[in-house]
Amino acid sequence: MNSPAPARARISIIGAGPGGLTCARILQQRGIAVTVYDRDRGPDARNQGGTLDLHADNGQIALREAGLLDEFFELARPEGQEMRQMDPTGTITSHEVPAAHELFKPEIDRGQLRNLLLDSLQPGTVHWGRALDTIGGPDDGPRQLHFTDGTTIRTDLVIGADGASSRVRPAVSPAVPEYTGVSFLEAWFSDVENRHPDLAELVGQGSAHAADGERALFAQRNSGNHIRVYIIRRAPVDWISTNGLTAEDTDGIRALILDEYAHWSPRMRRMITENDGPYVDRPIFALPVPHTWEHNPTVTLLGDAAHLMPPLGVGVNLAMLDACEIALALANAATVADAIRTYEKTMLPRSTETAEALEGGAEHLLSTDVPDFGSNNDTLR
């Protein structure tokens, strides 16, 4: 089968996260039809996670191409660029405060960013409740998308924007994410100025990190007077069950974690004891480095589906840059196959270089040095 022109192709994006939606928006801006399929039953089916810092040299480039940069700045929190490094006593050892009008990497809640992108799309672009099972059909197309509800869709191009556990990835690569040995345990705090004023003062308007070389706490201010804390430690991937606990056993998990942080100050340990509601276990996985694949004219990947890395502040930014570049390639190429070659010629070397720089970076999260991971937790999708 000859590869079709992008303007006549049936283009399917799997995953309605920031990367998939950015790609859809830029394609529609350039008159190219696209459909997005997502496993969630709707846009509000689950919490979208914490805050993200979108960088001027990647994430903001994508939003500019999408025609949404001004709307982003209306929602963003430049003050969220503040970063405090502390020791286990709560003493500040390093403090970065953004300069007035600094907009290199302002913060935005992940849910706000997703809604901004969703609202920019043509009605009916996203098909909710469509969980991909497998991809069939020949490499030169057309492809068949087999969904878990028993339906099948024919398409000319599949763009896998479906994150760490991508169902699209097996169509081009046998690679699977591997556990890094480092686990995040997420804790939420609501109405912090009134209910948790000491924590609010400790964290400030941005993020705060403390570590002792073996374990760490990372807190990030979210909009709506919320704070999220990530309790970071080396642990087996099944540490909850091997300790005879379940994810719902908040008291049991708290007691275990408190014992591990016994030498930390009482003020810092409030990040473990005063959370509102249960913890969320988020083990950190990463794809092998390098992760590349042979060109396929009908399937490609972006974001975590292509290059899952430790959460060091690049995940969503790279996903959106990937999305921008593949959309522009499709808008300017004679055929879909040509566009995929153009996109992957840039994306694969860039992602390999970044992944090599961050390989083993999950250990850096436990370092007493200031980690260069902003507040971008990209393990959520």
Side-chain angles (χ1 to χ4, degrees), residues 185 238-254 256 278-281:
L185 188 66
D238 58 350
W239 66 273
I240 293 179
S241 60
T242 57
N243 281 283
L245 302 170
T246 66
E248 294 74 29
D249 188 354
T250 301
D251 290 340
I253 292 174
R254 180 176 290 128
L256 178 68
Y279 300 103
V280 181
D281 184 36

Side-chain angles (χ1 to χ4, degrees), residues 217-351:
L217 294 173
F218 178 68
Q220 56 174 201
R221 176 81 68 153
N222 291 196
S223 64
N225 206 17
H226 297 282
I227 286 177
R228 289 174 190 257
V229 171
Y230 299 96
I231 303 163
I232 308 171
R233 30 197 280 286
R234 296 186 186 93
V237 68
D238 58 350
W239 66 273
I240 293 179
S241 60
T242 57
N243 281 283
L245 302 170
T246 66
E248 294 74 29
D249 188 354
T250 301
D251 290 340
I253 292 174
R254 180 176 290 128
L256 178 68
I257 299 299
L258 279 173
D259 185 60
E260 294 184 17
Y261 285 76
H263 64 288
W264 288 50
S265 72
R267 190 183 190 199
M268 297 295 286
R269 280 156 51 99
R270 289 182 182 179
M271 296 189 197
I272 300 170
T273 61
E274 295 184 0
N275 50 303
D276 302 319
Y279 300 103
V280 181
D281 184 36
R282 300 197 184 280
I284 305 302
F285 287 81
L287 280 166
V289 180
H291 178 232
T292 61
W293 56 88
E294 294 296 323
H295 167 75
N296 187 303
T298 56
V299 180
T300 193
L301 308 172
L302 65 80
D304 284 352
H307 43 69
L308 179 67
M309 306 174 198
L312 293 164
V314 298
V316 166
N317 282 285
L318 284 186
M320 294 176 68
L321 185 59
D322 292 349
C324 174
E325 291 180 348
I326 190 172
L328 294 179
L330 286 164
N332 293 301
T335 69
V336 166
D338 289 342
I340 299 309
R341 286 188 184 279
T342 297
Y343 160 66
E344 291 177 350
K345 185 177 180 180
T346 298
M347 183 275 291
L348 288 173
R350 178 180 63 224
S351 64

Side-chain angles (χ1 to χ4, degrees), residues 67-133:
L68 297 172
L69 191 59
D70 289 342
E71 289 88 340
F72 162 71
F73 284 130
E74 290 176 3
L75 296 169
R77 294 177 288 106
E79 69 277 8
Q81 297 169 102
E82 179 186 2
M83 180 67 194
R84 298 180 180 187
Q85 179 73 12
M86 299 180 290
D87 64 22
T89 71
T91 300
I92 295 176
T93 59
S94 175
H95 191 185
E96 297 179 13
V97 180
H101 310 299
E102 172 61 62
L103 294 175
F104 179 74
K105 53 176 184 177
E107 300 283 337
I108 186 171
D109 282 14
R110 192 183 185 104
Q112 290 179 311
L113 176 63
R114 193 195 202 197
N115 288 338
L116 172 64
L117 291 163
L118 277 172
D119 292 344
S120 74
L121 298 178
Q122 297 169 10
T125 298
V126 181
H127 292 211
W128 300 103
R130 306 300 296 277
L132 182 68
D133 186 17

